[in-house]
């Protein structure tokens, strides 16, 4: 009688975890596991960040190997693992049992959903090879659709309170990150799948993590796999709490200007030992526009004295007001002797240029100190780094400290001087600045209603502020001038905003007025159509064509003008074409 040999207890081993045979275990896969190449990046990242006693949440168990290695080697107190593919569950359980991990790891055959109002089940696409089975049916390979129960991430987050999240969910990470709270999570290891959502989706995943305060762990990250840890100073600023309301003083700080003219630039502040001062970064819409710069290679000059870090110096008027001024709240009530405010240029080609209005703004805050723009890296003897107290996106309402500083100090000695009814115009700005088609016709109608037409770009800040303070009723074409008005406006003033293009900028201006002046502006969005330069064009270059009769009705209803005896005439096609010429086309309506 021939005795059949017993099947081997395991066919591969990695980091002390034995892998039993299963339909998924091909010789090639076993060889990769033995060589520590299978999911090697995720495993290395997990072992780098898991600490003794951690609670680990695994999303996408796969073979069960990554979670098992984490449990066996990282010494967590608990591991909760989710796997959507029902065909894998028995094999994962067999791996856990073989390695004595069944009591440490809780396995759930569910889809973990972070979005609200999740359905009870979701379709899951199972492929012949378990690899690539996903919630997303991304290609033409044959799949079998099964319905898998869902679980609420919000509930798991509240009850399990994970310290570390391991995530490999074949493209589901983008939708998960869009809705997930990462509060209390110390580290995340995630594999990105751009084949499911494209490069843009991968950038969005990374931006979400960065805005939540997660920073890459050097040596454990690739383009498609990130190991990242939470750092409160790397989190996007918030108006109500955190580093946006704090300041620190650095000795021997190194200030590094940008070298490339891009939206996101490597620039900012380094500690004397080369560590990045993350609270010196400029953020917009929960995205860092400045990132850690390299340490200067050449010797740099030292700037003596105590300086206030201003951040990025924008020549653009609106961006200067909202972003370059964001740290100036620290001047309020300070007893320190400050030698000046130190910026770096937004555009490297501008070098050390400082505009007259920028220095005037500092003086209007009650401080006779210079602005300096560092065009080359330099060491600063003492650098005060306040948090970003204002900005675009959630920061438009500003921190309490920023609002208090503006209310107490800004333009407090400027007396009101100007007309009671004011129209703030853009009609004299150069073409290509997002002009308003029909604005000269609007101005002519408003003049008959007693409005003075005001072109702020032709006046200094002091004159603008005096004029704004005097007006009782203000109508303005949407634009940067409204940010200055919001800083000095009083609750009793009435403000109407004439929308000139479809843009989130309008809502930002509304919030600015509400937060700083207690004013809810009347927003007038009455455009018959929008025009853009021929071909691809950024929305900031679009021009809106005014619907004159509708705008008249809205202004009368809000009591900015008297009830009409005659309708304002609509703009004629010939008028519009004369303004635009042949280099513009209508923006197609969204379907």
């Amino acid at each position: 009688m021939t005795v059949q040999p017993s099947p081997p207890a395991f066919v591969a081993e990695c980091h002390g975890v034995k892998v039993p045979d299963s339909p998924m275990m091909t010789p090639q896969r076993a060889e990769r596991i033995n060589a520590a190449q299978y999911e090697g990046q995720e495993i290395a990242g997990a072992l780098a960040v898991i600490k003794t006693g951690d609670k680990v949440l695994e999303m996408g168990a796969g073979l069960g190997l990554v979670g098992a290695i984490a449990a066996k080697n990282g010494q967590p107190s608990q591991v909760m693992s989710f796997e959507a593919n029902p065909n894998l569950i028995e094999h994962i359980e067999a791996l856990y049992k073989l390695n004595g991990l069944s009591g440490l790891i809780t396995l759930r055959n569910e889809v973990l959903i972070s979005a609200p109002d999740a359905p009870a089940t979701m379709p899951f696409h199972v492929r012949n090879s378990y690899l690539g089975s996903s919630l997303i049916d991304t290609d033409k390979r044959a799949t079998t659709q099964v319905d898998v129960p869902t679980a609420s991430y919000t509930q798991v987050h509240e009850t399990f309170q994970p310290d570390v999240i391991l995530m490999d969910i074949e493209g589901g990470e983008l939708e998960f990150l869009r809705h997930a709270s990462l509060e209390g999570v110390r580290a995340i290891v995630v594999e990105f799948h751009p084949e499911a959502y494209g490069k843009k989706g991968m950038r969005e995943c990374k931006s979400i993590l960065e805005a939540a305060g997660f920073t890459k762990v050097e040596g454990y990250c690739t383009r498609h796999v990130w190991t990242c840890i939470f750092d409160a100073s790397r989190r996007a600023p918030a108006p109500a709490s955190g580093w946006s309301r704090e300041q620190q003083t650095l000795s021997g700080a190194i200030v590094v200007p940008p070298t490339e003219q891009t939206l996101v630039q490597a620039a900012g502040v380094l500690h004397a030992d080369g560590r990045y001062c993350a609270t010196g970064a400029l953020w917009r819409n929960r995205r860092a526009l400045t990132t850690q710069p390299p340490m200067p290679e050449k010797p740099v000059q030292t700037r003596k004295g105590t300086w206030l870090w201003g951040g990025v110096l924008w020549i653009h008027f609106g961006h200067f007001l909202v972003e370059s001024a964001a740290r100036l709240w620290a001047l309020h009530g300070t007893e320190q002797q400050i030698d000046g405010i130190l910026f770096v240029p937004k555009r490297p080609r501008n070098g050390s240029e400082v505009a007259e209005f920028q220095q005037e703004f500092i003086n209007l805050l009650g401080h006779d100190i210079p602005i300096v723009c560092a065009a080359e890296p330099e060491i600063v003897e003492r650098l005060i780094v306040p948090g970003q107290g204002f900005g675009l996106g959630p920061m438009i309402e500003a921190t309490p400290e920023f609002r208090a500083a503006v209310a107490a100090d800004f333009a407090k000695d400027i007396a009101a001087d100007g007309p009671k009814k004011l129209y703030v115009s853009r009609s004299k700005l150069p073409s290509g600045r997002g002009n308003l088609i029909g604005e000269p016709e609007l101005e002519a109608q408003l003049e008959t209603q007693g409005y003075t037409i005001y072109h702020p770009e032709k006046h200094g800040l002091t004159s603008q502020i005096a004029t704004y303070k005097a007006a009782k009723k203000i109508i303005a074409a949407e634009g940067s001038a409204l940010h200055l008005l919001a800083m000095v406006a009083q609750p009793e003033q009435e403000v109407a905003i004439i929308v000139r293009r479809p843009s989130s900028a309008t809502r930002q201006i509304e919030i600015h007025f509400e937060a700083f002046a207690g004013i809810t502006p009347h927003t007038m969005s009455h455009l018959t159509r929008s025009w853009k330069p021929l071909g691809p064009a950024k929305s900031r270059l679009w021009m809106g064509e005014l619907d004159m009769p509708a705008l008249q009705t809205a202004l009368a209803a809000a009591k900015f003008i008297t009830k009409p005896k005659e309708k304002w005439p609509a703009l004629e096609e010939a008028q519009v074409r004369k303004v635009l010429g042949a280099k513009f086309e209508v923006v197609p309506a969204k379907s």
Side-chain angles (χ1 to χ4, degrees):
M1 180 177 178
T2 302
V3 178
Q4 297 293 328
S6 301
F10 61 95
V11 295
E13 184 174 359
C14 184
H15 288 280
V17 171
K18 299 175 174 63
V19 183
D21 198 10
S22 71
M24 285 75 67
M25 286 304 300
T26 64
Q28 294 81 6
R29 192 162 291 142
E31 184 177 337
R32 293 189 67 222
I33 291 172
N34 286 328
Q37 295 175 343
Y38 177 81
E39 304 287 21
Q41 295 164 346
E42 291 90 329
I43 291 169
L47 295 181
V49 296
I50 295 173
K51 298 180 180 180
T52 301
D54 275 347
K55 293 180 180 179
V56 178
L57 174 63
E58 182 182 33
M59 299 172 59
L63 285 175
L65 183 63
V66 175
I69 290 174
K72 189 175 184 69
N73 295 273
Q75 298 183 324
S77 62
Q78 297 178 63
V79 177
M80 181 177 291
S81 184
F82 285 81
E83 173 52 53
N85 190 341
N87 297 343
L88 295 179
I89 299 303
E90 64 174 299
H91 305 295
I92 299 171
E93 289 176 337
L95 185 149
Y96 293 166
K97 182 177 180 181
L98 176 63
N99 291 278
L101 297 171
S102 299
L104 182 59
I105 306 177
T106 301
L107 179 63
R108 296 171 62 168
N109 180 207
E110 295 170 305
V111 178
L112 194 58
I113 301 295
S114 61
D117 304 319
T121 63
M122 290 192 71
F124 186 79
H125 303 278
V126 179
R127 297 195 172 94
N128 291 333
S129 167
Y130 86 94
L131 290 173
S133 295
S134 173
L135 292 170
I136 304 169
D137 198 7
T138 57
D139 55 34
K140 297 179 180 179
R141 287 184 289 174
T143 63
T144 301
Q145 181 175 307
V146 296
D147 289 329
V148 180
T150 64
S152 166
Y153 169 75
T154 299
Q155 186 177 28
V156 170
H157 180 259
E158 290 176 354
T159 57
F160 186 63
Q161 297 182 346
D163 300 291
V164 179
I165 295 178
L166 311 178
M167 192 186 322
D168 184 0
I169 49 178
E170 303 301 328
E173 58 274 7
L174 175 57
E175 186 64 18
F176 176 83
L177 288 170
R178 283 172 171 167
H179 303 283
S181 167
L182 300 176
E183 287 292 328
V185 178
R186 192 190 69 251
I188 296 175
V189 182
V190 55
E191 180 173 350
F192 306 113
H193 299 83
E195 67 277 8
Y197 40 64
K199 292 181 180 179
K200 183 177 180 181
M202 184 164 70
R203 286 196 297 269
E204 184 179 348
C205 288
K206 293 176 179 180
S207 293
I208 292 170
L209 290 169
E210 289 170 339
F214 287 88
T215 181
K216 294 190 294 182
V217 179
E218 294 301 323
Y220 293 94
C221 295
T222 65
R223 182 167 173 266
H224 287 163
V225 177
W226 269 20
T227 298
C228 44
I229 56 174
F230 177 74
D231 178 347
S233 69
R234 302 269 186 147
R235 195 173 196 169
S241 62
W243 62 266
S244 60
R245 302 180 65 178
E246 301 167 353
Q247 57 181 292
Q248 57 182 314
T249 301
L250 309 182
S251 296
I254 304 160
V255 170
V256 184
T259 58
E260 296 182 348
Q261 186 136 327
T262 53
L263 177 62
V264 178
Q265 299 167 301
V269 179
L270 302 174
H271 289 265
D273 59 6
R275 289 178 296 116
Y276 183 45
C277 178
T279 58
L282 169 63
W283 287 77
R284 180 191 297 173
N285 288 319
R286 299 183 61 80
R287 180 187 185 188
L289 296 191
T290 55
T291 58
Q292 182 170 349
M295 191 77 165
E297 295 179 357
K298 300 178 181 179
V300 298
Q301 297 294 317
T302 296
R303 182 176 296 277
K304 296 292 185 180
T306 300
W307 292 76
L308 185 81
W309 171 241
V312 175
L313 188 63
W314 285 86
I315 296 297
H316 183 280
F317 183 65
H319 285 291
F320 171 81
L321 292 179
V322 179
E323 294 180 318
S324 299
R327 301 173 190 273
L328 302 181
W329 61 269
L331 292 171
H332 175 62
T334 183
E335 296 181 357
Q336 296 189 66
Q337 179 63 44
I338 295 175
D339 294 289
I341 303 167
L342 187 61
F343 288 89
V344 293
K346 173 59 185 175
R347 296 178 176 176
R349 68 170 182 257
N350 291 133
S352 58
E353 177 185 351
V354 175
E356 185 177 337
F357 80 86
Q358 294 167 334
Q359 186 62 62
E360 185 180 4
F361 187 90
I362 303 303
N363 297 341
L364 286 167
L365 282 168
H367 293 271
D368 186 19
I369 54 176
I371 289 179
V372 171
C373 191
E376 299 291 337
E378 59 181 60
I379 296 170
V380 184
E381 188 175 13
R382 284 179 301 280
L383 186 67
I384 302 169
V385 182
Q388 180 181 332
F390 191 33
L392 293 173
M395 288 303 296
I396 194 65
E397 68 180 79
T399 61
E401 290 79 5
F402 187 93
R403 293 196 303 270
V406 170
D409 299 337
F410 186 61
K412 65 180 180 180
D413 297 327
I414 305 301
D417 183 15
K420 301 301 181 186
K421 297 168 76 173
L422 191 71
Y423 177 70
V424 183
S425 172
R426 293 177 61 88
S427 65
K428 300 300 183 184
L429 290 174
S431 60
R433 297 278 186 92
N435 305 74
L436 194 57
I437 302 170
E439 191 169 23
E441 289 80 1
L442 172 61
E443 291 172 0
Q445 295 290 351
L446 291 177
E447 282 183 314
T448 68
Q449 295 279 336
Y451 279 84
T452 296
I453 310 305
Y454 189 70
H455 301 280
E457 71 277 9
K458 297 183 180 297
H459 303 270
L461 295 186
T462 299
S463 174
Q464 291 179 50
I465 292 166
T467 304
Y468 296 154
K469 283 185 174 183
K472 300 301 181 185
K473 291 182 182 289
I474 302 171
I475 304 173
E478 173 263 311
S480 299
L482 284 163
H483 286 299
L484 182 62
L485 171 59
M487 288 181 168
V488 298
Q490 296 300 312
E492 64 272 12
Q493 291 178 293
E494 297 180 77
V495 178
I497 301 172
I498 309 299
V499 174
R500 59 188 172 89
R501 57 183 176 173
S503 172
S504 60
T506 306
R507 181 58 187 147
Q508 293 279 287
I509 294 170
E510 291 173 339
I511 296 172
H512 191 178
F513 274 98
E514 292 163 3
F516 281 65
I519 294 173
T520 300
H522 298 267
T523 299
M524 310 289 182
S525 184
H526 297 290
L527 303 174
T528 56
R529 49 191 174 175
S530 294
W531 296 77
K532 68 179 185 65
L534 294 174
K538 295 180 179 179
S539 60
R540 62 183 172 83
L541 301 177
W542 293 8
M543 295 195 291
E545 179 184 336
L546 282 173
D547 183 338
M548 295 291 287
L551 180 57
Q552 178 191 28
T553 300
L555 288 169
K559 299 182 179 180
F560 281 87
I561 61 175
T562 58
K563 289 185 178 180
K565 295 178 180 178
E566 296 181 359
K567 278 191 174 182
W568 290 354
L571 299 177
E572 297 180 359
E573 186 75 18
Q575 289 176 276
V576 175
R577 288 293 181 184
K578 184 177 180 181
V579 171
L580 294 172
K583 295 184 178 181
F584 281 80
E585 60 186 355
V586 174
V587 176
K590 289 185 178 181
S591 55

